[in-house]
Amino acid sequence: MTMSTFAVLVLLVITFTYSVAADNKPEQIHIAYTGILSERIVNYVTPSPDLQPETVVAYGSSPDKLTRKETGTSFKFGTHEGHYFMIHNVKNERTLRTSFLEKSVKGDKARTLQFSSSVIVFLECHAIFYLGLILRHVIKLTGLELNKRYYYQVGVPDNGTSDVMSFFTKDGNPVFAIYGDMGYVNAVSLDRLKKEADDGGFDAVIHAGDLAYDMYEGDGTIGNEFMNSIQPIATKVPYMALPGNHEQMYNFTHFVHRFSNMELGVGQTSGSGTSLWWSMDIGLIHFVAFDSEVYHYYRDKANQNRERTPWIVSLAHKAWFMEKTDFSVFGPLLHKYGVDLHLCGHAHNYQRLYPTYNDSVEYPTDNHVYVNPKFKTVIVAGSAGSPEKLSNWTHAPERMSAKYIYDYGYGHLQAMNQTHLYWSWENTHENVRPVMQDYLWIVQEHHGPRPSLFDEEQYQGLKELKDVKSESVEV
């Protein structure tokens, strides 16, 4: 090897290393509740797994005084054992993928340079981006004051830092934006959500399953793009999620890793140890989120705190009447523990049911006000927007349906006080109709369990019959 060739190789290695560092700015940033109001838990990604910067959040009470610093943990996550490069030809706007050990790109004139076991393919007028394994960072912020705005920045200066962002630690009864089934493509509700997050229209998001469509697609690039698309929302308010059928691939691996801050947050606080099912008390509401794609069993302690959190809201991707769903285990539990409202997605439309349990239906005097209902209310909000568009194939039985809307949108939920829970649903499709399409008041003066229709012996029989490999979680 001549000195000139060696010098060129050294220069290429230095240039490549600098390029990776320059492209290692934090992305996919989002925050979540931990179940403790004075805490938030932050999750972000640095694209290169080879550069392992310190996991840091700098924060404070003003954007130019980030005087506090918290460190956390990091771990590698990727969809393949092999490493990949993206090679973009600026001249003809073609993007190619080549294996780390591949020596040529079929159909394109390329020259390769090989040092040690690595091969880098160069095209004319190109830039190289790392794809595959990424480094995920998780940091918990504790001891936060309530009703205060905090400014924060993630990353370290010698590797790349994010912009300065902010969140507000609201006490009292927050407003939740709730929806399911929003993808990276055809995310009709995304612009409205971003604007409303900017305007302070809600204090947290709950995404009831089916994210990105699908996170694993394109070797994880769809998941990456989706997480970046919700970043303008998820850096301002806690973005809580639960899995749906589109997260099942690879044993929910993408969901679990991308929402690892929830596993280390509400997962630890509730005792579930996972982001697949969890619970938390926020304001006057006790939320219980479970994965309707697998069986597991909750021993719920919510009724021990019913004076402090009188409302119980269950969250899952599906409802009992949807295909490939068996609520014969879940249903009796939700009824027994006095769940007031069950929110879900899956069907790409909007549905509000009358209070129901099994075949029993309670018809209120006012279609928009349920006073002291004996059964839980089910609401389907699965039309935030996805590549599958709207659907008309999943309906509750007509005699149980109080409202059905075939349109895109999402809902808002707020506990106004101990006895009044308010829900509204707004369309986000571009049309001339009024924004708010439905609303509901649930008035409940007698919170508590409903033992009269719960048959413990029958429930145990069903549980044994299904041979459920259940996790017993106190929440």
Side-chain angles (χ1 to χ4, degrees):
M1 179 184 295
T2 65
M3 287 297 294
S4 59
T5 303
F6 177 76
V8 169
L9 289 176
V10 170
L11 179 61
L12 285 170
V13 171
I14 293 172
T15 303
F16 172 70
T17 303
Y18 175 79
S19 174
V20 172
D23 290 332
N24 209 35
K25 184 177 179 179
E27 59 180 56
Q28 304 179 43
I29 309 164
H30 56 106
I31 63 174
Y33 287 122
T34 68
I36 299 173
L37 284 181
S38 61
E39 296 180 351
R40 295 292 185 272
I41 190 159
V42 185
N43 192 320
Y44 69 93
V45 161
T46 48
S48 171
D50 298 317
L51 300 176
Q52 299 191 27
E54 188 180 12
T55 301
V56 175
V57 173
Y59 64 108
S61 56
S62 66
D64 56 347
K65 292 183 179 179
L66 306 180
T67 56
R68 300 172 67 177
K69 175 182 173 182
E70 199 70 49
T71 59
T73 59
S74 64
F75 59 92
K76 292 182 180 181
F77 170 65
T79 57
H80 291 277
E81 293 182 1
H83 298 173
Y84 294 91
F85 286 97
M86 292 297 290
I87 301 175
H88 182 63
N89 190 326
V90 179
K91 188 174 182 179
N92 60 16
E93 291 299 318
R94 290 191 62 195
T95 301
L96 307 171
R97 192 189 77 179
T98 180
S99 169
F100 197 75
L101 299 178
E102 193 173 33
K103 292 187 178 181
S104 64
V105 180
K106 294 181 180 179
D108 280 82
K109 293 181 180 179
R111 56 191 180 87
T112 64
L113 292 176
Q114 182 168 0
F115 13 91
S116 67
S117 62
S118 302
V119 175
I120 298 178
V121 180
F122 293 90
L123 296 178
E124 184 181 0
C125 301
H126 70 276
I128 299 176
F129 303 93
Y130 190 89
L131 179 66
L133 290 170
I134 55 178
L135 197 65
R136 188 164 293 282
H137 306 260
V138 182
I139 312 101
K140 183 184 291 186
L141 306 180
T142 62
L144 302 174
E145 297 179 36
L146 298 182
N147 292 322
K148 181 175 180 177
R149 181 161 297 280
Y150 284 91
Y151 296 85
Y152 70 107
Q153 185 179 53
V154 304
V156 291
D158 61 350
N159 183 79
T161 56
S162 69
D163 296 333
V164 176
M165 305 160 291
S166 73
F167 61 83
F168 187 76
T169 55
K170 182 173 181 177
D171 195 8
N173 297 314
V175 177
F176 295 88
I178 299 179
Y179 51 87
D181 304 78
M182 188 170 77
Y184 173 60
V185 175
N186 195 42
V188 176
S189 300
L190 183 61
D191 286 343
R192 173 80 63 80
L193 285 163
K194 290 193 289 188
K195 184 180 186 305
E196 196 174 359
D198 287 340
D199 296 341
F202 51 77
D203 305 294
V205 168
I206 298 177
H207 192 146
D210 282 8
L211 298 81
Y213 284 76
D214 287 334
M215 288 184 172
Y216 70 90
E217 292 284 1
D219 299 328
T221 56
I222 295 298
N224 294 343
E225 294 294 344
F226 175 79
M227 298 304 294
N228 280 323
S229 74
I230 64 170
Q231 181 173 294
I233 306 163
T235 53
K236 297 180 178 71
V237 300
Y239 200 101
M240 311 300 291
L242 50 143
N245 53 290
H246 279 267
E247 282 68 64
Q248 282 184 291
M249 185 64 73
Y250 305 124
N251 196 28
F252 299 94
T253 296
H254 274 265
F255 179 86
V256 169
H257 284 82
R258 293 179 188 278
F259 288 93
S260 53
N261 58 336
M262 288 181 50
E263 178 179 332
L264 299 175
V266 289
Q268 287 189 357
T269 304
S270 67
S272 73
T274 179
S275 56
L276 298 177
W277 50 88
W278 45 268
S279 69
M280 64 179 183
D281 292 345
I282 301 293
L284 295 171
I285 302 177
H286 177 75
F287 289 99
V288 179
F290 61 93
D291 180 4
S292 56
E293 306 309 306
V294 297
Y295 285 113
H296 48 86
Y297 171 53
Y298 280 105
R299 284 202 313 268
D300 200 283
K301 298 190 298 184
N303 284 292
Q304 296 179 12
N305 300 314
R306 212 64 191 252
E307 290 186 5
R308 182 167 58 86
T309 52
W311 298 99
I312 300 181
V313 175
S314 62
L315 305 159
H317 182 57
K318 294 179 181 177
W320 58 269
F321 57 86
M322 296 177 180
E323 81 288 346
K324 297 181 180 179
T325 304
D326 188 344
F327 264 64
S328 58
V329 172
F330 297 132
L333 287 174
L334 301 182
H335 181 79
K336 175 185 178 180
Y337 291 123
V339 170
D340 299 287
L341 177 63
H342 178 74
L343 295 168
C344 64
H346 188 62
H348 298 174
N349 50 53
Y350 172 77
Q351 302 179 55
R352 173 167 59 85
L353 276 60
Y354 294 115
T356 60
Y357 180 63
N358 289 342
D359 290 330
S360 300
V361 185
E362 186 177 359
Y363 297 104
T365 304
D366 187 331
N367 187 43
H368 294 282
V369 183
Y370 298 171
V371 180
N372 294 323
K374 294 182 294 183
F375 313 126
K376 72 179 181 299
T377 299
V378 174
I379 291 178
V380 180
S383 59
S386 77
E388 296 179 357
K389 301 183 179 179
L390 297 172
S391 67
N392 201 29
W393 41 262
T394 301
H395 284 274
E398 187 173 348
R399 66 188 185 88
M400 298 180 177
S401 179
K403 188 75 172 181
Y404 175 87
I405 301 174
Y406 184 78
D407 203 352
Y408 294 103
Y410 61 91
H412 294 81
L413 179 71
Q414 185 177 24
M416 308 304 291
N417 53 43
Q418 298 265 342
T419 57
H420 288 68
L421 186 73
Y422 181 68
W423 165 267
S424 64
W425 188 86
E426 301 174 353
N427 84 76
T428 52
H429 202 204
E430 293 182 3
N431 53 41
V432 296
R433 291 186 293 157
V435 171
M436 191 174 75
Q437 294 289 297
D438 189 37
Y439 72 93
L440 174 68
W441 286 96
I442 299 179
V443 181
Q444 183 56 264
E445 300 166 308
H446 311 294
H447 294 286
R450 307 183 186 102
S452 58
L453 294 180
F454 184 81
D455 188 331
E456 183 73 37
E457 184 177 346
Q458 180 188 32
Y459 167 72
Q460 290 298 334
L462 282 169
K463 189 166 174 287
E464 293 171 8
L465 181 65
K466 294 178 180 301
D467 190 26
V468 177
K469 294 181 179 179
S470 61
E471 299 234 1
S472 181
V473 181
E474 292 191 355
V475 295

